[in-house]
Amino acid sequence: EAGVAQSPRYKIIEKRQSVAFWCNPISGHATLYWYQQILGQGPKLLIQFQNNGVVDDSQLPKDRFSAERLKGVDSTLKIQPAKLEDSAVYLCASSLGPRGSGEAFFGQGTRLTVV
Amino acid sequence: QQQVKQSPQSLIVQKGGISIINCAYENTAFDYFPWYQQFPGKGPALLIAIRPDVSEKKEGRFTISFNKSAKQFSLHIMDSQPGDSATYFCAAKGNNAGNMLTFGGGTRLMVKP
């Protein structure tokens, strides 16, 4: 079974530039999460999708962050414009959904450095 | 959002010793409590999980102890090995339709040979 795929693995951009991350969840997983993990901290949920609908985006800085999950499969997370404090690892995870065990499977993440 | 508090932040244990990491939660609606292990450059991976209907779950060298009345749970790693050196995160998830997974701040474990 293939895991959660993310790209790119690393990205370095200047502040005020834009950047996009891509995630392909495990096949059949209805729930998709984007987390932000700042160095030395636990992952913080940014947005959660159930199929292609948003379940929770209360911690997404909507003035600069956006995310979409077209057709309930792949997802993209965009930051525009980026700030220095956005430097972090962006993790995508997926799970079966409400009827599953609750286990979330994580990708390797995209390490973003904003300079 | 500090719904799950984890301690200690870092832990050094000798090989063969017992590593203990503690977590406390606030939301009584949480009904799923996983522990994740994360190696540098990798995403978190599920280690072991428990639901509040049991007080303990053991898988190999890893044991979760759960105290529902105190709203606390802990991870015990028996016979700790250098390969266990990683960052460990506790997490909790509610039983609502959103099933949001909330993480603790993490514990960096180092097992000395």
Side-chain angles (χ1 to χ4, degrees):
Chain A
E1 181 183 77
V4 176
Q6 288 188 248
S7 67
R9 285 296 313 278
Y10 306 93
K11 191 73 176 179
I12 301 174
I13 62 171
E14 295 182 350
K15 60 183 179 183
R16 291 187 289 274
Q17 285 188 323
S18 63
V19 64
F21 312 127
W22 173 82
C23 173
N24 179 238
I26 293 173
S27 177
H29 279 195
T31 304
L32 185 146
Y33 313 82
W34 282 103
Y35 283 86
Q36 179 192 58
Q37 186 175 24
I38 293 173
L39 186 65
Q41 298 182 18
K44 184 185 85 171
L45 182 70
L46 293 175
I47 189 168
Q48 178 178 339
F49 292 94
Q50 183 71 20
N51 296 308
N52 61 349
V54 175
V55 174
D56 190 303
D57 64 356
S58 57
Q59 296 195 88
L60 187 74
K62 298 181 187 62
D63 58 333
R64 299 183 300 107
F65 286 64
S66 64
E68 60 180 7
R69 189 183 185 196
L70 298 177
K71 299 182 181 179
V73 183
D74 292 4
S75 177
T76 55
L77 177 70
K78 297 180 181 178
I79 307 175
Q80 181 179 9
K83 293 185 175 181
L84 296 176
E85 58 260 37
D86 298 332
S87 295
V89 175
Y90 290 85
L91 294 164
C92 178
S94 70
S95 67
L96 279 171
R99 296 182 181 179
S101 65
E103 179 178 0
F105 296 83
F106 284 81
Q108 293 197 78
T110 296
R111 181 178 296 277
L112 173 68
T113 302
V114 183
V115 298
Chain B
Q1 186 201 33
Q2 183 69 337
Q3 295 191 53
V4 182
K5 295 183 179 181
Q6 183 171 345
S7 63
Q9 286 187 312
S10 62
L11 181 63
I12 300 174
V13 174
Q14 290 294 130
K15 178 182 176 181
I18 302 174
S19 304
I20 301 174
I21 304 171
N22 301 298
C23 280
Y25 63 97
E26 300 169 1
N27 189 343
T28 55
F30 287 149
D31 70 343
Y32 174 70
F33 302 90
W35 284 90
Y36 281 81
Q37 180 188 57
Q38 185 176 31
F39 292 105
K42 303 292 185 182
L46 181 67
L47 191 62
I48 186 173
I50 197 169
R51 294 197 180 271
D53 53 345
V54 296
S55 60
E56 187 175 281
K57 183 175 181 179
K58 183 176 180 179
E59 289 184 0
R61 297 184 293 110
F62 302 92
T63 300
I64 299 179
S65 297
F66 185 82
N67 186 329
K68 188 175 181 178
S69 61
K71 293 190 286 186
Q72 295 175 348
F73 58 110
S74 59
L75 176 69
H76 295 231
I77 305 175
M78 312 299 287
D79 187 27
S80 298
Q81 299 296 313
D84 296 330
S85 297
T87 300
Y88 292 80
F89 294 97
C90 62
K93 191 179 69 166
N95 55 7
N96 56 18
N99 288 330
M100 189 171 74
L101 191 61
T102 301
F103 283 82
T107 296
R108 181 172 291 185
L109 171 67
M110 178 184 296
V111 181
K112 288 190 169 182

